[in-house]
Amino acid sequence: MLDHGGNLDLACKLFGGRAEDWIDLSTGINRQPYPVGELPMRSWTTLPSRADIETLHAAARSAYGTPAPVLAVAGAQAAIQSLPWLAPPGRARILAPTYNEYAPTLKAASWQVEEVGDLNAVAGADLAVVVNPNNPDGRQHDRAALLALTSRVGRIVIDESFADALPDVSLASDAGRTGLLVLRSFGKFYGLAGLRLGFVLGNEADVTALSAMAGPWPISGAAIEIGRRGLLDRAWAEATRVRLASEAARLDDLARGAGWTLVGGTPLFRLYETGDAVAAQERLARAKIWSRIFGSKPGWLRLGLPGDEIEWTRVAAALSAR
Amino acid sequence: MLDHGGNLDLACKLFGGRAEDWIDLSTGINRQPYPVGELPMRSWTTLPSRADIETLHAAARSAYGTPAPVLAVAGAQAAIQSLPWLAPPGRARILAPTYNEYAPTLKAASWQVEEVGDLNAVAGADLAVVVNPNNPDGRQHDRAALLALTSRVGRIVIDESFADALPDVSLASDAGRTGLLVLRSFGKFYGLAGLRLGFVLGNEADVTALSAMAGPWPISGAAIEIGRRGLLDRAWAEATRVRLASEAARLDDLARGAGWTLVGGTPLFRLYETGDAVAAQERLARAKIWSRIFGSKPGWLRLGLPGDEIEWTRVAAALSAR
């Protein structure tokens, strides 16, 4: 298993407690989730109908502001799992460091994978992957620069899993172009990662091919119903954007007080240089607050935003304690 | 789109009404579902943990009576979608007529597909597919005959999507053998098709390969929680088996009264020779009861079992009306 955020099993094993004792800030999942509400019984009992799925697709096109074909999948991760099979294996270039699932998934399907540090170095690849804004450092790329790359690679995948909080960075409106695929996550911004819902936005041929791979019923009835409600609720999304931006600054203040410096981030997570991430993670873990560290970057610690005021109080106490 | 049961969109378009006006007997999904109950908030909000998924796998091993490795997937259909990628494309033989997703899914991935009418004719294939009990005719195969085939094909997939009601037909206890994969559906017997949950039972190498294709979070938190509860509830399963067996006979009586003869079936669905399936489907549809017919077999009509007494009364009336 790759190291991921959200591995509270490991936190409990290393530092004790039950999962429910912990504040899990090891992911970028919003801890003030969209309200699940009541579900009609047929969301559970019947196979998702074509009409239900099309209604969800329309909601996604509206929320993401795109006229392009859209496919609902069981999380952005499900789209990543399908990418290696969209074309015969060739040369893939991934703008790194980034989300650690792309490289092994492509390698396992016989792709030759190179991680590059500069955006323009993806040119010439059969498949290029750019996470925008990037995880874990929040790096953002210019839309024009990304669009220019579509003619210099076989296919470019823009992973916008963290773009809901920063809609201006999104290429969704251009997703119908040949050679461009945009991935979106529902679970992170809407705080419902257990629902398993994400979207691929792309041109007709790619979306048709991905749909054939996903099969007729790739997502649950609950994902269809809650996803549709959430995506159409513009007021909730706008209020959440405002709240996350303000709370990200609040977390940065606490981190500064602990002597950490901001490396980057998005409104859903912050990346700090702590000097010694193992020690910083342990300091938080003693207060049952779980964080994400990175083997290749010994000072980096990534934190999601606390949810309610009880959580903020615990985080503030842990970061001010010496 | 292939023709499937559960396409109430089409029923409404052809015969009017809204989805909720119809009794959908076009599938083999149990209409007295396992109670969903309350879900903990974390089923919605957090990424499924490795420990949670392992607990579900243990429940599945216990319910299905197998020591073999198990993988939870988003419905038996999700396993079918992965099958073409387990080995390089070769010759596939499918025991037909059967569930209509296997052939196109394999063909789309460059497999050479042959449909055969006799079990032993699958011998020599790189990949053999046998649905047991079969959909739509309920045909059952001898366990020893199926096991003998494992040494005569590259890999044999036994689709046991309808085996929960007939546990004696299952090869689950032998699923760890090289060359054998067993697929199970949760949604049909437990009446929760919208949950998207199924299982693959197989040897370590195949299950590991399928798990790598499915990715780290292939199923929802709700599927993990409800699936675990349902699979461990032996009393519910046993009572449901007894009820379905008795109600299948009750439906056969009504069908006989309509002049139809039983072709076969399982306790979850019945297949009747009606003489004229289009007319028979229309007769039921006028009473807002939806059924499944088959282009290649002009007399065949498949019916799932009605749920509550209100549904039984409507079905009895439709089948006795002239």
Side-chain angles (χ1 to χ4, degrees):
Chain A
M1 287 298 294
L2 286 175
D3 183 28
H4 288 111
N7 56 345
L8 273 187
D9 300 346
L10 179 67
C12 296
K13 199 155 106 185
L14 293 177
F15 298 98
R18 299 157 305 163
E20 52 270 40
D21 301 330
W22 285 79
I23 302 173
D24 186 5
L25 305 185
S26 70
T27 75
I29 300 163
N30 180 1
R31 290 180 71 78
Q32 294 200 19
Y34 189 76
V36 168
E38 289 293 309
L39 286 175
M41 197 57 198
R42 62 185 290 273
S43 293
W44 299 108
T45 56
T46 66
L47 280 170
S49 77
R50 190 52 20 206
D52 289 342
I53 293 174
E54 286 306 328
T55 304
L56 175 65
H57 287 173
R61 270 192 292 271
S62 162
Y64 300 142
T66 184
V70 158
L71 177 70
V73 292
Q77 181 68 40
I80 296 173
Q81 300 294 142
S82 298
L83 286 183
W85 314 102
L86 258 184
R91 281 163 311 152
R93 291 198 184 133
I94 301 170
L95 186 61
T98 193
Y99 182 54
N100 64 6
E101 281 283 341
Y102 283 100
T105 303
L106 288 162
K107 281 179 191 164
S110 306
W111 285 75
Q112 178 195 323
V113 177
E114 197 184 344
E115 304 203 333
V116 298
D118 176 70
L119 181 62
N120 285 306
V122 305
D126 300 303
L127 177 65
V129 176
V130 177
V131 180
N132 189 42
N134 193 42
N135 170 14
D137 61 5
R139 184 156 48 143
Q140 295 179 27
H141 300 283
D142 180 59
R143 298 177 67 258
L146 291 172
L147 286 175
L149 279 170
T150 59
S151 60
R152 301 175 64 203
V153 296
R155 182 179 276 113
I156 187 164
V157 173
I158 311 290
D159 179 338
E160 298 186 351
S161 286
F162 289 101
D164 295 63
L166 297 165
D168 291 346
V169 311
S170 176
L171 286 191
S173 59
D174 291 287
R177 289 197 187 198
T178 302
L180 177 62
L181 275 182
V182 173
L183 309 189
R184 302 290 300 228
S185 164
F186 181 83
K188 294 178 182 70
F189 181 73
Y190 292 86
L192 297 171
L195 199 58
R196 309 313 302 135
L197 180 62
F199 296 89
V200 186
L201 289 52
N203 59 76
E204 192 74 47
D206 281 353
V207 168
T208 301
L210 288 165
S211 178
M213 284 191 252
W217 309 288
I219 56 168
S220 67
I224 293 172
E225 180 66 20
I226 298 168
R228 184 183 50 75
R229 292 179 195 164
L231 289 167
L232 293 178
D233 192 341
R234 299 301 178 85
W236 185 91
E238 192 44 42
T240 297
R241 278 184 204 109
V242 170
R243 177 182 64 76
L244 290 171
S246 127
E247 296 194 344
R250 181 177 177 187
L251 189 61
D252 291 348
D253 283 344
L254 295 177
R256 201 176 301 115
W260 302 348
T261 55
L262 182 68
V263 178
T266 77
L268 283 163
F269 62 81
R270 314 303 285 169
L271 182 67
Y272 301 111
E273 173 56 57
T274 66
D276 180 346
V278 171
Q281 182 173 60
E282 193 178 325
R283 171 179 172 176
L284 290 165
R286 282 196 299 268
K288 296 277 184 292
I289 296 160
W290 194 229
S291 58
R292 179 78 197 280
I293 60 176
F294 302 84
S296 58
K297 297 282 184 178
W300 282 12
L301 181 138
R302 193 188 69 189
L303 279 184
L305 304 191
D308 58 22
E309 280 303 316
I310 295 170
E311 295 189 0
W312 277 101
T313 303
R314 272 174 64 184
V315 171
L319 287 178
S320 62
R322 293 270 51 165
Chain B
M1 285 297 295
L2 285 176
D3 182 27
H4 287 114
N7 55 345
L8 272 188
D9 301 345
L10 179 66
C12 296
K13 199 155 105 185
L14 293 178
F15 298 97
R18 300 156 304 163
E20 52 270 38
D21 300 329
W22 285 78
I23 302 174
D24 185 5
L25 304 187
S26 71
T27 76
I29 299 164
N30 180 1
R31 289 179 70 80
Q32 294 200 19
Y34 188 76
V36 167
E38 289 293 309
L39 286 175
M41 197 58 198
R42 62 185 291 272
S43 293
W44 300 107
T45 56
T46 67
L47 281 169
S49 76
R50 191 50 23 205
D52 289 342
I53 293 173
E54 286 306 327
T55 305
L56 175 65
H57 287 173
R61 271 193 291 271
S62 163
Y64 300 142
T66 184
V70 159
L71 177 70
V73 292
Q77 181 67 40
I80 296 173
Q81 301 293 141
S82 298
L83 285 183
W85 315 102
L86 258 184
R91 281 164 309 152
R93 291 197 184 134
I94 301 170
L95 186 61
T98 193
Y99 183 54
N100 64 5
E101 281 283 343
Y102 282 100
T105 303
L106 288 162
K107 281 178 189 162
S110 305
W111 285 76
Q112 179 195 322
V113 176
E114 197 184 343
E115 303 202 335
V116 299
D118 176 70
L119 181 62
N120 284 306
V122 304
D126 299 304
L127 177 65
V129 176
V130 177
V131 180
N132 189 42
N134 192 42
N135 170 13
D137 61 6
R139 183 156 50 142
Q140 295 179 26
H141 300 283
D142 180 59
R143 298 178 68 257
L146 291 172
L147 287 174
L149 279 170
T150 59
S151 59
R152 302 175 63 202
V153 296
R155 182 180 277 112
I156 187 165
V157 173
I158 311 291
D159 180 337
E160 298 186 351
S161 285
F162 289 101
D164 295 64
L166 298 165
D168 291 346
V169 312
S170 175
L171 286 190
S173 59
D174 290 288
R177 290 197 187 198
T178 302
L180 176 63
L181 275 181
V182 173
L183 309 189
R184 302 291 299 229
S185 164
F186 182 83
K188 294 178 183 70
F189 181 74
Y190 292 87
L192 297 170
L195 199 58
R196 309 314 302 135
L197 179 61
F199 296 89
V200 185
L201 289 52
N203 59 76
E204 192 74 46
D206 281 353
V207 169
T208 300
L210 288 165
S211 177
M213 283 189 253
W217 310 289
I219 55 168
S220 67
I224 293 173
E225 181 66 20
I226 297 167
R228 184 183 51 75
R229 292 179 195 163
L231 290 167
L232 293 178
D233 192 341
R234 300 300 178 86
W236 186 91
E238 192 44 41
T240 297
R241 278 185 204 109
V242 170
R243 177 180 66 76
L244 291 170
S246 128
E247 297 193 344
R250 182 177 177 187
L251 189 61
D252 291 348
D253 282 345
L254 294 177
R256 201 176 301 116
W260 302 348
T261 55
L262 182 68
V263 177
T266 76
L268 284 163
F269 62 81
R270 315 303 285 169
L271 182 67
Y272 302 110
E273 173 55 56
T274 65
D276 180 346
V278 170
Q281 182 173 60
E282 194 178 323
R283 170 178 174 177
L284 289 165
R286 281 197 299 269
K288 297 277 184 293
I289 295 160
W290 194 229
S291 59
R292 179 76 197 279
I293 61 175
F294 302 84
S296 58
K297 298 280 185 179
W300 282 11
L301 181 139
R302 193 188 67 188
L303 280 184
L305 304 191
D308 58 23
E309 280 303 315
I310 296 170
E311 294 189 0
W312 277 102
T313 303
R314 273 175 63 186
V315 171
L319 287 178
S320 62
R322 292 270 53 165

